[in-house]
């Protein structure tokens, strides 16, 4: 009887661990690697130097603040994600692409994951997420990096 | 030379202004909260200073900010509870909602859908809004509670802590 109970307990415990795991390890399950995070200073440097090859920069959040970026709209919405997909469909898979939102820290941003997952699923090979850990104000505007008009 | 005179004149006016109000303008508790003048959804401007005489919660938010959206229900409850607090003394409570939205329909629809009846203003400039700079906002939600003279009582309190702070100053 006791063993049965213990077995059940262990089973229940294991199941609960499996179920709750995604909530605890959210950061590790992000659809990007640390190497895919692009430092704002690095992008600013490229944008400020017209001679260097320019990436295609998509704003996948509320507003296209980064200079020269294309406004897709929040990719948490299916229609915006679809817009992005259609634009990406016309590009070679090795295109240099940067996406950014900057509304909120990554842990709370509803837009970065759908966009990065799309790029991954479409098998692009050279795409980055602009690393705005706080938001576009703190990590871009306040730094004086180039902005759209 | 003319610019210099203008600057000096401006400095004199500013210093005189702060002497009149007695408190320096700033973001610390005890400072006079910086003025905000922004349009409502209908386009008319409502300034923060026009609410002088009431305790005001300046709520910085955006429809794209999940925790801000979550908090709106609680703000509605507080607004209902304190709106007419201490009417005898001519005091009261107001919420001055400043949205960092970028697109008007998002902002306007949220207000209509959630029947928000307190003041709502926005320049629809998202994180580029000058007010985000003036108030040194590093993230949302953010709020500032000011007294009837526009003096900062508290910053960035939420939930029970915010309610307790309002009660504390009303019972004084």
């Amino acid at each position: 009887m006791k063993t049965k109970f213990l077995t059940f307990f262990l089973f229940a415990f294991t199941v609960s661990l499996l179920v709750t795991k995604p909530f605890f390890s959210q950061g590790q399950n992000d659809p990007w690697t640390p190497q895919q995070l692009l430092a704002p200073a690095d992008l600013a440097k490229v944008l400020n130097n017209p001679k260097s090859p320019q990436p295609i920069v998509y704003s996948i959040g509320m507003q296209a603040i980064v200079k020269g970026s294309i406004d897709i709209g929040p990719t948490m919405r299916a229609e915006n994600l679809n817009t992005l997909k259609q634009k990406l469909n016309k590009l070679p898979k090795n295109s240099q692409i940067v996406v950014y939102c900057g509304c909120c820290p990554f842990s709370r941003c509803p837009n970065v994951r759908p966009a990065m997952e799309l790029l991954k699923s479409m098998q692009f090979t050279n795409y980055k997420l602009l690393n705005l850990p706080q938001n576009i104000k703190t990590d871009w505007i306040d730094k004086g990096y180039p902005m759209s008009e | 030379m003319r610019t210099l005179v203008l600057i000096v004149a401006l400095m004199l006016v500013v210093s005189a202004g702060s002497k009149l109000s007695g408190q320096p303008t700033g973001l610390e508790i005890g400072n006079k909260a910086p003025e905000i003048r922004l349009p409502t959804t209908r386009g008319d401007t409502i300034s923060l200073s026009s609410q002088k005489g009431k305790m005001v919660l300046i709520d910085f938010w955006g429809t794209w900010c999940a925790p801000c959206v979550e908090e709106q229900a609680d703000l509605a409850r507080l607004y209902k509870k304190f709106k007419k607090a201490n009417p005898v003394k001519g005091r009261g409570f107001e919420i001055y909602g400043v949205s960092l939205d970028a697109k008007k329909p998002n902002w306007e629809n949220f207000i209509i859908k959630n029947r928000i009846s307190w003041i709502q203003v926005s320049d629809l400039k998202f994180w580029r809004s000058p007010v985000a700079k003036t108030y040194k906002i590093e993230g949302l939600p953010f709020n500032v509670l000011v007294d009837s003279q526009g003096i900062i009582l508290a910053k960035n309190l939420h939930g029970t802590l915010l309610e307790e702070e309002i009660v504390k100053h009303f019972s004084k």
Side-chain angles (χ1 to χ4, degrees):
Chain A
M1 184 62 200
K2 215 174 174 181
T3 336
K4 232 178 180 176
F5 178 76
L6 202 75
T7 315
F8 174 75
F9 179 78
L10 275 176
F11 175 73
F13 183 70
T14 315
V15 168
S16 74
L17 268 185
L18 284 173
V19 170
T20 51
K21 196 175 173 265
F23 296 105
F24 290 118
S25 55
Q26 218 167 23
Q28 290 148 31
N29 286 344
D30 286 332
W32 59 81
T33 62
Q35 290 75 31
Q36 283 180 308
L37 289 174
L38 175 63
D42 291 346
L43 180 61
K45 214 164 141 187
V46 169
L47 295 178
N48 282 329
N49 178 10
K51 280 179 192 161
S52 74
Q54 298 293 311
I56 303 165
V57 186
Y58 292 114
S59 161
I60 49 142
M62 318 306 146
Q63 204 179 54
I65 285 176
V66 172
K67 189 182 175 185
S69 60
I70 300 158
D71 195 4
I72 298 294
T75 41
M76 66 183 281
R77 294 215 187 111
E79 71 256 34
N80 295 331
L81 195 63
N82 200 35
T83 307
L84 180 63
K85 194 176 178 178
Q86 281 167 8
K87 293 210 186 270
L88 292 173
N89 263 330
K90 295 175 191 153
L91 300 177
K93 299 292 182 195
N94 64 352
S95 307
Q96 208 189 332
I97 296 164
V98 178
V99 296
Y100 74 95
C101 172
C103 72
C104 331
F106 288 144
S107 61
R108 285 196 341 229
C109 176
N111 301 310
V112 287
R113 283 171 191 80
M116 288 301 276
E117 266 157 16
L118 177 68
L119 282 155
K120 193 178 179 180
S121 72
M122 290 178 81
Q123 296 175 322
F124 276 87
T125 55
N126 194 8
Y127 62 97
K128 303 238 158 145
L129 173 63
L130 187 58
N131 194 8
L132 305 168
Q134 188 65 27
N135 55 55
I136 191 94
K137 176 185 177 281
T138 309
D139 303 314
W140 189 269
I141 301 173
D142 289 353
K143 299 261 161 72
Y145 295 150
M147 292 197 283
S148 57
E149 290 306 309
Chain B
M1 184 61 198
R2 238 173 101 184
T3 330
L4 198 74
V5 172
L6 221 94
I7 290 170
V8 171
L10 203 76
M11 278 165 76
L12 280 173
V13 170
V14 169
S15 68
S18 65
K19 259 176 207 151
L20 279 179
S21 65
Q23 301 291 343
T25 301
L27 296 170
E28 298 309 316
I29 290 168
N31 287 166
K32 192 166 172 51
E35 174 68 313
I36 305 173
R37 288 178 58 86
L38 289 174
T40 67
T41 52
R42 275 168 292 165
D44 48 331
T45 301
I46 298 184
S47 66
L48 174 64
S49 59
S50 71
Q51 299 307 303
K52 205 174 164 185
K54 295 177 195 167
M55 186 190 290
V56 181
L57 177 72
I58 312 165
D59 173 44
F60 296 96
W61 72 294
T63 59
W64 45 264
C65 157
C68 307
V69 164
E70 245 171 65
E71 197 183 20
Q72 297 303 305
D74 201 38
L75 295 186
R77 189 183 59 79
L78 292 180
Y79 191 54
K80 202 175 164 188
K81 185 172 174 184
F82 295 112
K83 196 166 96 176
K84 290 181 179 158
N86 290 356
V88 183
K89 291 179 190 167
R91 287 157 70 184
F93 176 69
E94 186 54 65
I95 301 177
Y96 188 85
V98 182
S99 160
L100 294 189
D101 268 276
K103 302 206 164 71
K104 194 172 179 183
N106 295 347
W107 176 47
E108 197 167 25
N109 292 342
F110 187 92
I111 293 170
I112 295 167
K113 200 176 155 197
N114 293 280
R115 296 182 184 166
I116 294 179
S117 56
W118 57 86
I119 297 169
Q120 281 292 344
V121 295
S122 179
D123 54 14
L124 299 169
K125 286 185 181 167
F126 185 46
W127 277 117
R128 285 174 93 161
S129 173
V131 82
K133 199 168 191 177
T134 314
Y135 275 80
K136 296 196 172 114
I137 304 169
E138 295 292 320
L140 291 187
F142 178 73
N143 66 40
V144 175
L145 186 69
V146 302
D147 72 5
S148 58
Q149 298 307 306
I151 306 299
I152 298 176
L153 296 170
K155 287 191 290 183
N156 221 9
L157 294 181
H158 302 274
T160 356
L161 285 176
L162 173 62
E163 188 167 356
E164 280 168 9
E165 190 72 16
I166 297 170
V167 169
K168 190 173 102 187
H169 292 288
F170 264 136
S171 54
K172 261 184 191 169

